Amino acid sequence: MSQDERLELRLFLMQYLAARGEEGSGVAEFVLGSVIKTIARIVKLGWFDGNRHREIIDQVARLYKTSASHCRLALRLLLQLVEEFNSSGGNRAEMRSLTQQRKSAVSFRDIALYPAVQMAQSTLQRLRNREGLGPLSPIEERGITENTMKLLTACLGYDFIGTNADESADDVGTVQLPSGWRPIAHDPTLVITLFEFFANTEPPISSSAMQSLILLSSVRRSLYPSEQDRAHFLNQIMRGIREILSSQRGLQHEANYHEFCRLLGRLKSNYQLSELVGAEGYYEWLELAKNFTVTSFEQWHFSKNSMQYLLTLWGRLVAAVPYAHRAAPVPPPGGTESTEMHQSTENNPQPAKPQASILEACVIQVAKKYIESMLVSVNVIDANDGAFDDPLDDEGALKEQLERLSVLCRFRYASVAEYLAQGLDATAAQYKSVLESRHQARGAIERRLAWLAYIVAAVVGGLSWNQIPASEGEEELDAKLSRRCFDIAQLIDLAHQSLGPCNATLELAILYFFTQFRRIYLWEASPSLNSSGGEYALAQPSSSKQKVFARVFETLALGDATDVTNRLVAKIANNLRFWPDNDQVICASLDLFQEMASGLTPSKVILNLEATQFLLEHSTKADALPFVTRARPRHRTTLHATLAKLVLGVNEDAHTAFDAFMAPLEQTLTSLKDALGGLPSAQQLQLNGGGGTPSPNQQKVSQVIDASPEGTALLVGCLRDLRGVIQAASNRRAYSMLFDLLYPDAFNVLAAAALSERHEVLVALLRCLQELVYNKSQRITFERSSPNGILLFRECSRVIVAMGSRRLVGTEQYFVTSMDDDDLFQFGRDARISALGVAPSADGTNSSRDGALRGDSDQEYKSRHKTIVIALTALQRALDGNFVNFGVFELYNDTALRDALEVAMRLSFTAPIVDVMAFPKLAAAYFGFYEIVFREHASFVLTKDTATLITILCAVRRGLELPSLAPAAAAILDHLATFRFNNQHRTKLGRMHAAIQALDTHLAAHPLLFKKLLASVLNLLIFGPPSNHWVLTRPVLPLMLVDEQGFLDYRDTLLASQPTPENKQRLSQAFSNLISHVHRNLDNTNRDNFCQQISAFRHECRSFLVC
């Protein structure tokens, strides 16, 4: 739309609001909402077109004064304007760059935001005093009040300086109000008014009032002329908080309760402890806050989403205590607060010791009440038969609360540690009694033990080594509590063997404790190794940390660090034995094992542990570790990756250790080889001319593989184990040992497995192959005289050809023969993808030809496309791995490369373009594969028939529109156009002769091919979203150079589409600037210079161009 058309539409909509905005006019609320959103969007898009759109504030002011109903609509329109200019998301906002967005937001802030907040403030005062708005019905009054509160909150929460990183964050940072807003922040009646509305109204009005108070309490310090003004404002806030805490008014609503807890948590963030202590009624506020917190913990089912803010308040108070005293140079256990400054207490009216003792008593009471309430919650949940959600089931909220609780507990650790020890002793004794009786239910007791284990884990994990020696002596308390958790872990293992599994939550809590204990006390327990035995060295402790470690293990009385590590690994092994069907426990156990294998503890120490040796000996045996056949497949892979990492980490006699570890896998592969009998040779896996029909020998092998479920399970398990080992081979030495062990027998089994018809076999096989050819950290590096790189690719080709030839039998392939159905100069300007049956939906995603994915999309992906995705990714990694010179294959007439590319390409065509664009994983594999093919093997794809090339380029055009696919799609066009430019004038074609002739044939059939591609890229650059515009600049220059006439035609067409001579002149000058100082070559310097010029061209065009 032109500027005049947009302005005319906006004026029409404003007149519509003025004429039909009356209550009872019959206009539906959603219609008014859509009209208001449209007006706001037009104003934002036309904000810099002239002053006419900026007159919207005056028009809103006139609408505001018309009537009560129009007042409500005016406030609603202002609210929508503020939200629109402050928003950086949404489908349309994505069409604007970050620079454009900030420019609009800053201009709106300077011109219109302050009048908007003044209107909200004055309306709020009129509502409070009930004057100036005329007689209002209850509905009108509520509507005006609600919109006013939301407008005030939106104005105060505006992103004034572009620093709001995450709009979804529940907490706010410092509010950067402009200096001109001082009258708002200093208004003595505003805070009082907001507190009154909070106490006397209901949500959402009351909750919006509290949100405004939160924002006002977060205003930057420099906005206040003096510290006295800031202290006066703080007194107002604390007075209002004390009144609410005393009367409890407004807190009966959950939304109000949550926002009030946020205010309490936010208060300490913006004010130092010394300022709070010096405020009026601090001790009364402290006592009321403590009572409120205690009550909230007792009513945990009502406040479960707000407790973290209360814990944050007390944690920040505790962390700031040392900074409020000159005599306390070191922060207390549990963390520090970087925003606190060292404060003198000379002018503090309260003495330091009473202040600390009062806060200390409150903190201890809060911490103990939280522990008590969580233990009581177990009985409450059981008594109400599941009416309340168990806090233990919400892992995210649980760990967030525990992280804050640890600061409180370590403030005066001795008292809380004694309380925890008593609770652990009593609950453990009760648990032993229940176990001995063998008949009583133990679920409630186990959940209480889980709470205690979680809390102990958080407290132990809350130790900060920066506080040593300030917290010296606390490590003994950690050790005493930890010993009790170790005893509980041993107790539940014994109970599991005799009485069956315990509550899974208790197991997860113990694992969480082990994780925290290992992180604090096992990471550097003994940094050196005994050279002979591989045990932890028991040298005399020297550093302060070593002394702490020595006291911990002495108090723990479980042996040295090696013994404790063995207990952790033994617990992991027991969980793998006892919990085969519980995914959470298995996952947490393996995660802990991975952390231990990746930590600073030497691999040889962990490897020599009795528990680790058990896992090594039974890693593939389902009778000892039943989870390998019953749990999720990735867990089996994780176990073998961790074990292999430990084995490969041993420097002494590495080959012997690795061979011993791989012996079970070798035996399994040998048994599979013997069972299969005659394996297909590479010649038997060649493609037939028609459709890759498998030979009778191949059919026989496939039948043998799929004959029995036991054989299939054995093969799949072996492939998953092997994949884990391959993952662990992360360096050149390890990978070379692995390849020497696998070649050639294991690869024969892989090729035979590729003929299977079972989906699970193919997925496991291809994932194993995908990992095998992944050259991460340049691990696939062989000696110069070694043929292993060539052999590796040949085996990869052999597997893909075998799988693909079987898959292609009777499978339809989809081709696009022409792009003529698309408007040459329209692609990229709108959302039409009609030629391929794909149309973006309202939310920007693609739907299929039927308007939705056919059937169950997940099931369709797994059954039709998953194996294709993995195969394409595996071949892409092999082609891009840089471990083989592919010219060898052509030189010696080896068809491995050609066959692999042929099969992969034909597999990609079994998915229509509509499906490629609908499934993100398929699209990523598709474009990644063709990017490497066009970059390194363009001659192969160009010598195919024209339909093949056109089909790929049609998909590429669609990929240009999606930010996730645009880099690969643009690279494909860049490679193609560069190939054409570099070879179009060559007289000696050499080995490229066939490819160049084939490309000429394609262009003869489609003479407008490069012109269409250039027009598509330029349209997306000029009219498309800014998120991927830089990657689109790379292919423009080679596309221009291969079809200069096409570029001139595009320029003329775009010039003709402009409605005014001024626009045509500006556009013509922009095109002239674009091609100035650009040479007819593709040197890097020329490319970089052109990319900068086209970015400037794009920015210039988007400022005035009419599409």
Side-chain angles (χ1 to χ4, degrees):
M1 298 176 64
S2 65
Q3 298 177 14
D4 292 336
E5 290 173 335
R6 283 188 286 187
L7 182 63
E8 184 178 352
L9 176 60
R10 196 205 78 195
L11 293 175
F12 169 76
L13 294 176
M14 288 294 297
Q15 293 172 0
Y16 180 88
L17 283 182
R20 303 195 178 185
E22 297 281 355
E23 289 287 344
S25 63
V27 181
E29 195 68 20
F30 76 91
V31 174
L32 293 176
S34 299
V35 170
I36 289 172
K37 287 182 180 180
T38 305
I39 293 174
R41 186 64 53 82
I42 292 174
V43 171
K44 180 179 181 179
L45 295 177
W47 188 254
F48 292 107
D49 291 344
N51 293 326
R52 293 179 296 178
H53 283 293
R54 302 183 185 185
E55 297 170 355
I56 186 68
I57 302 301
D58 297 332
Q59 296 176 6
V60 171
R62 291 194 294 271
L63 184 66
Y64 175 85
K65 299 176 182 178
T66 304
S67 68
S69 297
H70 290 92
C71 174
R72 178 179 65 88
L73 291 177
L75 292 168
R76 187 173 173 183
L77 178 55
L78 266 183
L79 171 62
Q80 187 63 42
L81 283 169
V82 173
E83 292 178 345
E84 184 68 37
F85 275 88
N86 195 38
S87 173
S88 59
N91 293 331
R92 286 293 300 174
E94 292 175 359
M95 301 294 289
R96 300 168 62 85
S97 66
L98 181 60
T99 302
Q100 290 174 316
Q101 167 61 27
R102 283 308 307 161
K103 185 178 178 182
S104 300
V106 170
S107 178
F108 183 82
R109 177 201 68 188
D110 296 338
I111 295 174
L113 194 59
Y114 189 63
V117 76
Q118 283 183 315
M119 184 178 295
Q121 185 186 22
S122 62
T123 305
L124 205 60
Q125 295 299 332
R126 292 174 183 175
L127 289 169
R128 180 194 179 199
N129 300 328
R130 297 188 176 277
E131 59 182 20
L133 292 175
L136 299 174
S137 67
I139 296 179
E140 290 176 333
E141 181 177 3
R142 180 172 180 83
I144 293 175
T145 306
E146 181 177 341
N147 287 322
T148 302
M149 283 297 181
K150 289 182 177 180
L151 176 60
L152 180 62
T153 303
C155 291
L156 293 175
Y158 196 82
D159 190 3
F160 293 97
I161 59 175
T163 57
N164 291 359
D166 186 4
E167 296 180 357
S168 64
D170 201 17
D171 205 357
V172 295
T174 301
V175 177
Q176 302 290 340
L177 290 185
S179 299
W181 287 43
R182 279 198 176 98
I184 301 295
H186 295 172
D187 185 359
T189 62
L190 181 58
V191 174
I192 298 174
T193 302
L194 290 173
F195 273 114
E196 288 180 356
F197 273 97
F198 175 79
N200 299 322
T201 59
E202 295 184 352
I205 297 174
S206 55
S207 58
S208 295
M210 186 54 64
Q211 290 174 10
S212 296
L213 286 168
I214 294 171
L215 293 167
L216 285 173
S217 66
S218 304
V219 169
R220 60 187 174 94
R221 176 186 294 268
S222 57
L223 191 68
Y224 297 93
S226 65
E227 290 298 324
Q228 289 75 17
D229 294 324
R230 180 176 165 85
H232 176 71
F233 177 80
L234 177 60
N235 287 334
Q236 282 188 306
I237 292 290
M238 293 190 68
R239 187 182 305 116
I241 292 175
R242 292 199 307 273
E243 291 176 358
I244 292 175
L245 289 173
S246 300
S247 65
Q248 299 290 305
R249 294 181 64 182
L251 297 180
Q252 68 273 18
H253 301 288
E254 187 174 356
N256 290 355
Y257 190 95
H258 180 78
E259 297 299 336
F260 183 70
C261 290
R262 286 186 61 206
L263 176 62
L264 289 176
R266 185 62 200 163
L267 190 63
K268 176 59 194 69
S269 299
N270 211 38
Y271 292 91
Q272 299 174 2
L273 180 59
S274 58
E275 294 176 310
L276 295 176
V277 172
E280 174 188 336
Y282 164 74
Y283 288 107
E284 180 187 359
W285 172 84
L286 190 66
E287 183 67 21
L288 289 171
K290 183 261 295 181
N291 294 335
F292 175 75
T293 304
V294 168
T295 303
S296 298
F297 290 162
E298 291 174 347
Q299 300 174 354
W300 56 269
H301 52 279
F302 181 77
S303 61
K304 61 182 180 180
N305 294 326
S306 308
M307 287 195 293
Q308 67 266 26
Y309 299 111
L310 300 176
L311 292 170
T312 298
L313 166 66
W314 293 102
R316 286 171 174 168
L317 289 173
V318 164
V321 166
Y323 296 89
H325 307 292
R326 182 181 301 173
V330 181
T336 61
E337 190 172 44
S338 60
T339 57
E340 289 294 344
M341 300 174 58
H342 184 74
Q343 298 290 324
S344 173
T345 58
E346 292 178 353
N347 299 323
N348 194 340
Q350 291 88 3
K353 288 187 178 179
Q355 167 194 333
S357 60
I358 293 174
L359 180 60
E360 176 183 333
C362 291
V363 169
I364 293 175
Q365 187 173 350
V366 166
K368 290 183 177 180
K369 178 53 68 174
Y370 178 88
I371 298 170
E372 177 188 344
S373 300
M374 295 304 101
L375 295 177
V376 171
S377 69
V378 175
N379 297 330
V380 174
I381 292 171
D382 290 344
N384 288 272
D385 195 22
F388 300 126
D389 294 333
D390 192 345
L392 286 171
D393 295 336
D394 189 351
E395 184 179 3
L398 172 64
K399 292 183 178 178
E400 185 178 6
Q401 293 176 15
L402 293 175
E403 182 181 355
R404 288 163 172 75
L405 177 69
S406 64
V407 181
L408 277 62
C409 292
R410 300 197 76 94
F411 179 54
R412 293 295 179 261
Y413 192 18
S415 176
V416 178
E418 182 182 359
Y419 182 77
L420 282 171
Q422 292 174 357
L424 281 166
D425 292 340
T427 309
Q430 187 179 2
Y431 189 54
K432 289 180 182 178
S433 176
V434 169
L435 294 179
E436 291 172 357
S437 67
R438 291 180 170 270
H439 298 294
Q440 299 182 32
R442 51 192 173 110
I445 301 177
E446 288 175 344
R447 297 211 306 279
R448 285 198 294 273
L449 283 174
W451 269 114
L452 291 169
Y454 269 123
I455 294 171
V456 170
V459 173
V460 171
L463 174 67
S464 174
W465 289 109
N466 295 327
Q467 313 308 321
I468 303 296
S471 57
E472 188 172 349
E474 293 183 356
E475 70 278 355
E476 296 182 5
L477 299 176
D478 284 345
K480 292 177 181 179
L481 293 175
S482 299
R483 174 56 191 265
R484 289 171 169 84
C485 288
F486 276 104
D487 292 341
I488 292 173
Q490 187 176 13
L491 188 62
I492 60 178
D493 280 348
L494 295 174
H496 201 129
Q497 296 178 14
S498 58
L499 300 177
C502 66
N503 193 298
T505 304
L506 178 56
E507 288 283 11
L508 294 173
I510 292 297
L511 289 170
Y512 182 64
F513 162 75
F514 283 161
T515 301
Q516 298 301 315
F517 183 86
R518 188 206 67 82
R519 183 176 63 86
I520 298 298
Y521 290 116
L522 286 179
W523 67 279
E524 199 184 15
S526 294
S528 60
L529 278 174
N530 187 304
S531 59
S532 59
E535 301 289 338
Y536 278 109
L538 301 177
Q540 288 299 112
S542 55
S543 67
S544 59
K545 291 183 181 180
Q546 291 299 309
K547 294 177 181 178
V548 169
F549 290 138
R551 289 194 296 269
V552 166
F553 290 107
E554 181 181 354
T555 307
L556 199 60
L558 292 174
D560 59 9
T562 304
D563 298 323
V564 175
T565 303
N566 188 58
R567 282 179 174 263
L568 267 62
V569 180
K571 180 59 181 174
I572 293 170
N574 286 335
N575 286 348
L576 298 182
R577 292 170 57 198
F578 299 150
W579 295 93
D581 299 316
N582 191 295
D583 186 71
Q584 279 187 300
V585 175
I586 295 294
C587 185
S589 301
L590 291 174
D591 286 345
L592 175 58
F593 196 29
Q594 271 191 315
E595 289 180 12
M596 296 177 67
S598 304
L600 296 179
T601 304
S603 297
K604 191 170 184 179
V605 173
I606 301 178
L607 197 61
N608 289 338
L609 297 176
E610 181 182 353
T612 308
Q613 290 299 316
F614 171 82
L615 292 175
L616 286 170
E617 294 173 6
H618 301 86
S619 60
T620 60
K621 299 177 181 178
D623 54 344
L625 297 176
F627 91 97
V628 298
T629 57
R630 294 159 62 179
R632 294 175 63 181
R634 66 181 181 90
H635 295 325
R636 181 167 181 165
T637 302
T638 302
L639 174 63
H640 281 79
T642 306
L643 292 173
K645 186 172 186 177
L646 291 172
V647 173
L648 293 170
V650 177
N651 293 322
E652 302 173 3
D653 201 11
H655 284 81
T656 303
F658 184 67
D659 290 343
F661 170 67
M662 292 293 292
L665 277 177
E666 284 191 279
Q667 293 175 3
T668 303
L669 290 170
T670 301
S671 64
L672 287 170
K673 176 184 175 182
D674 295 338
L676 290 172
L679 294 172
S681 65
Q683 289 75 20
Q684 291 175 314
L685 296 176
Q686 299 295 327
L687 281 180
N688 295 337
T693 304
S695 66
N697 186 42
Q698 291 172 299
Q699 293 179 349
K700 179 181 178 181
V701 173
S702 177
Q703 292 171 2
V704 171
I705 292 176
D706 302 333
S708 67
E710 293 79 10
T712 300
L714 180 64
L715 175 59
V716 171
C718 179
L719 292 171
R720 289 168 178 165
D721 297 345
L722 184 59
R723 180 186 172 201
V725 177
I726 298 170
Q727 287 178 352
S730 57
N731 55 57
R732 176 180 176 180
R733 185 199 66 164
Y735 192 90
S736 296
M737 288 193 301
L738 177 63
F739 184 84
D740 291 340
L741 187 143
L742 295 179
Y743 188 83
D745 292 342
F747 285 104
N748 289 331
V749 176
L750 297 184
L755 300 174
S756 174
E757 295 181 349
R758 288 185 176 270
H759 177 75
E760 63 270 25
V761 172
L762 294 178
V763 169
L765 168 67
L766 292 172
R767 287 200 183 281
C768 181
L769 180 68
Q770 177 181 269
E771 188 65 36
L772 186 64
V773 296
Y774 186 23
N775 194 12
K776 56 184 178 182
S777 303
Q778 295 300 308
R779 62 176 181 171
I780 310 179
T781 304
F782 301 107
E783 300 294 337
R784 292 186 179 182
S785 59
S786 172
N788 287 351
I790 298 173
L791 295 175
L792 175 60
F793 183 83
R794 289 184 63 186
E795 296 299 335
C796 172
S797 171
R798 185 181 173 194
V799 172
I800 291 177
V801 169
M803 185 280 298
S805 61
R806 188 61 181 264
R807 176 69 185 268
L808 289 170
V809 175
T811 304
E812 182 181 1
Q813 299 180 40
Y814 300 89
F815 293 95
V816 176
T817 58
S818 174
M819 293 190 288
D820 293 338
D821 293 334
D822 294 325
D823 186 346
L824 176 59
F825 298 103
Q826 188 63 32
F827 182 88
R829 299 198 196 185
D830 56 21
R832 293 202 312 268
I833 313 182
S834 56
L836 301 177
V838 185
S841 59
D843 61 356
T845 58
N846 291 325
S847 58
S848 71
R849 288 166 289 186
D850 299 328
L853 293 179
R854 298 181 300 276
D856 187 345
S857 59
D858 291 338
Q859 185 61 35
E860 180 184 359
Y861 170 76
K862 291 178 180 179
S863 62
R864 297 186 58 199
H865 305 308
K866 188 172 184 177
T867 53
I868 299 176
V869 168
I870 306 173
L872 290 178
T873 304
L875 186 55
Q876 175 195 349
R877 289 182 174 181
L879 294 172
D880 202 25
N882 198 29
F883 55 81
V884 59
N885 186 339
F886 291 104
V888 172
F889 297 102
E890 182 180 0
L891 182 63
Y892 291 98
N893 294 322
D894 191 323
T895 62
L897 174 63
R898 184 174 66 250
D899 289 345
L901 292 175
E902 179 72 24
V903 168
M905 186 176 296
R906 290 170 60 180
L907 282 174
S908 70
F909 294 144
T910 61
I913 296 180
V914 59
D915 285 355
V916 172
M917 309 308 294
F919 295 100
K921 290 183 179 179
L922 178 59
Y926 187 96
F927 282 86
F929 169 71
Y930 279 111
E931 191 278 329
I932 185 65
V933 170
F934 274 86
R935 184 193 346 144
E936 303 291 346
H937 309 282
S939 59
F940 174 83
V941 68
L942 291 177
T943 53
K944 298 301 174 184
D945 57 72
T946 302
T948 297
L949 180 63
I950 296 301
T951 301
I952 297 172
L953 293 180
C954 279
V956 168
R957 291 183 80 195
R958 306 309 164 188
L960 291 171
E961 295 185 303
L962 302 179
S964 60
L965 302 177
I972 292 172
L973 293 184
D974 187 14
H975 301 324
L976 176 62
T978 300
F979 179 89
R980 175 63 176 174
F981 178 78
N982 290 337
N983 294 281
Q984 63 181 348
H985 299 304
R986 290 179 60 180
T987 57
K988 296 182 179 181
L989 302 180
R991 63 187 184 90
M992 293 295 178
H993 178 74
I996 296 172
Q997 282 192 333
L999 182 55
D1000 291 337
T1001 302
H1002 301 323
L1003 292 177
H1006 295 273
L1008 299 180
L1009 177 62
F1010 282 112
K1011 180 184 292 188
K1012 288 188 176 185
L1013 295 175
L1014 176 61
S1016 301
V1017 176
L1018 288 175
N1019 279 335
L1020 286 170
L1021 270 172
I1022 298 173
F1023 303 105
S1027 57
N1028 60 343
H1029 81 274
W1030 181 252
V1031 299
L1032 295 178
T1033 61
R1034 296 295 292 178
V1036 176
L1037 180 59
L1039 286 171
M1040 286 174 51
L1041 293 179
V1042 298
D1043 194 347
E1044 296 184 21
Q1045 185 60 45
F1047 172 72
L1048 296 176
D1049 292 344
Y1050 179 86
R1051 182 196 62 182
D1052 296 341
T1053 303
L1054 196 58
L1055 284 170
S1057 68
Q1058 298 307 296
T1060 64
E1062 179 186 359
N1063 274 18
K1064 292 182 179 180
Q1065 182 179 0
R1066 292 182 65 181
L1067 183 59
S1068 178
Q1069 183 61 43
F1071 272 107
S1072 298
N1073 295 336
L1074 172 62
I1075 60 178
S1076 63
H1077 307 294
V1078 176
H1079 307 287
R1080 285 182 171 83
N1081 63 66
L1082 293 177
D1083 295 340
N1084 288 334
T1085 303
N1086 193 40
R1087 279 177 177 266
D1088 294 340
N1089 179 52
F1090 181 79
C1091 287
Q1092 294 176 5
Q1093 291 185 196
I1094 199 171
S1095 294
F1097 168 79
R1098 174 185 178 276
H1099 184 269
E1100 172 68 17
C1101 289
R1102 289 172 71 92
S1103 65
F1104 69 88
L1105 207 60
V1106 177
C1107 56

